[in-house]
Structure formats: structure tokens, C-alpha cells
Amino acid sequence: MSSSLQYMVDSLPFLLEGAKITVILSLGSIVGSLIFGLIIALCRMSSNRVLIRFAKIYISFFRGTPLLIQLLILYNGFTFAITPEGWQAALVGLILHFSAYIAESYRGAIQSIPNGQWEAAYSLGMNYFQTFREVIFPQAWRIAIPSIWNSLIDVAKSSSLASVITVPELTSIADQRSASSLIVLPVLLEAALIYWGISTLLEWGRERLERRLRLVK
């Protein structure tokens, strides 16, 4: 067995430990982004001018600036008041960043539902929140799945930027292992394959969810 191949085998347990942190960070960010993105979308579609302005600025800022800069601001920019741990800054940064994209996916899907759906629900005595929860959102969710799921896959891949703020996730471990041995390409390819596996699982989850929603439609 060549030295490079042997080193890849030896590195695998370390990379898998880093992958665990990547998965945990990604899952937390995904859940947070789905929830906060919906809140931002509802603010964007509200009749309150302050909420609309807030949502517009929020979406513009987080979509218009690099995620890496946002992570560095959260990790280093507030040390005069608070010093967050790397994983805390990474989790908050990923949620804030991808909520802006997911909010627009929600908004587009919700606005695609005909107004007649709202009017029909109101005529049955349902209020705004009942109509949204029981009638509008289930339909909008089906429409938004492809766009939102692309953002969720991007969350998993973008979690690699957490390595810059000392989070010992997959990219960070791969970089350390390759730097310590000068066997760079094999270890980075190994890490890339793990990321590919994570993305493939997420894509498989999307297909399963879409099939299930088609069955219950």
C-alpha cells in the first residue's frame, strides 16, 4: 500500500469526527434557517411598513455580503462586549445568511397561491393564521421545496467556512491532516467525497419528501 493511500486510511477516523461536527452544525443551521426564514418572509409580506423595511434590508444585506465576512464579524467584531465560541458564531452566521435566501423562496411560493384560496377560507370563518396554517402554507411548502432544498444543501457545504473561525469540522481537520504530512491532494479529495456523501443524502431526502407529498396531495 502506498504511503498516500495508507495516510488516507489513517486519516479517515479523524475526518469522520470532523464530519460529525459538520453534520450537527448543518442540521442546527438548517432548522434555524427554515424557521427564521419563514419569519422574515412573513415580515416581508406584512402590511406593516416597519416590518417590510426591516425584511428588505435584512435580505439585501445577508444576500449581498459574503458569508465569510459575516462569520468573521460575528466571531471577531463584538469582542468588546462578547466573545462567542467558534461554533456559536458559525451557527448564528449560517442561520442569518441562509434565512435571507429561504425567506425569498417562501415568499415566492406563498405569493403564487391564488387570492381565491384566502377568500374561500375567510368565507368559511377561518382567520388569517388558520388560513395560513391550514390552507396556504401546505401548498406553498410543496412549491418551495426545490428552491429551499438547494439552499439547505448549500448550508451543509458552506459550513466548511466555519474552519476559518476555529471550528474543528471536516474542512478544518482535513487541512490540519494534509498540512502536517504534506500529503495534500488525497486527504482533501477524501474530505470532498464525504461532503459529496452528505449532499447526496440531502438530495435523497428531498426526493423522498417530494414523493411523499405527491402521495398525500
Side-chain angles (χ1 to χ4, degrees), residues 161-182:
L161 292 176
S163 61
V164 177
I165 53 175
T166 72
V167 179
E169 47 71 66
L170 177 56
T171 297
S172 175
I173 299 300
D175 185 52
Q176 292 172 20
R177 294 289 296 177
S178 60
S180 64
S181 65
L182 299 182

Side-chain angles (χ1 to χ4, degrees), residues 13-213:
F14 297 96
L15 295 178
L16 291 177
E17 283 298 314
K20 288 181 183 178
I21 296 176
T22 292
V23 170
I24 293 170
L25 179 61
S26 298
L27 289 176
S29 302
I30 285 171
V31 172
S33 297
L34 287 172
I35 295 172
F36 197 55
L38 180 58
I39 294 172
I40 295 298
L42 293 176
C43 289
R44 180 70 177 80
M45 294 182 296
S46 75
S47 57
N48 186 297
R49 291 183 180 180
V50 174
L51 292 179
I52 293 173
R53 177 61 60 183
F54 163 75
K56 284 183 175 181
I57 294 173
Y58 178 94
I59 292 170
S60 177
F61 176 80
F62 283 101
R63 293 181 66 179
T65 57
L67 174 57
L68 180 57
I69 294 294
Q70 296 165 18
L71 293 178
L72 291 173
I73 289 173
L74 290 169
Y75 186 61
N76 295 318
F78 300 99
T79 52
F80 59 88
I82 186 173
T83 305
E85 294 186 26
W87 70 268
Q88 294 171 327
L91 180 63
V92 172
L94 287 167
I95 290 173
L96 293 176
H97 183 82
F98 284 100
S99 291
Y101 289 90
I102 290 174
E104 288 295 86
S105 298
Y106 277 134
R107 184 170 72 91
I110 292 168
Q111 291 182 335
S112 72
I113 306 299
N115 287 333
Q117 299 273 354
W118 292 91
E119 295 168 0
Y122 290 152
S123 70
L124 294 174
M126 301 175 72
N127 60 33
Y128 175 86
F129 294 103
Q130 289 173 325
T131 301
F132 183 80
R133 185 180 69 247
E134 302 295 336
V135 179
I136 303 302
F137 186 72
Q139 298 178 73
W141 173 243
R142 290 187 178 94
I143 296 170
I145 283 176
S147 175
I148 287 178
W149 221 268
N150 286 335
S151 295
L152 301 186
I153 292 173
D154 284 341
V155 170
K157 293 186 293 185
S158 298
S159 67
S160 61
L161 292 176
S163 61
V164 177
I165 53 175
T166 72
V167 179
E169 47 71 66
L170 177 56
T171 297
S172 175
I173 299 300
D175 185 52
Q176 292 172 20
R177 294 289 296 177
S178 60
S180 64
S181 65
L182 299 182
I183 300 177
V184 178
L185 183 59
V187 176
L188 294 181
L189 284 175
E190 195 171 12
L193 288 174
I194 295 174
Y195 277 113
W196 186 22
I198 294 171
S199 298
T200 300
L201 285 174
L202 285 170
E203 185 64 27
W204 174 80
R206 179 189 65 80
E207 293 173 356
R208 293 264 301 183
L209 179 60
E210 287 185 329
R211 283 200 298 268
R212 181 176 179 181
L213 289 175

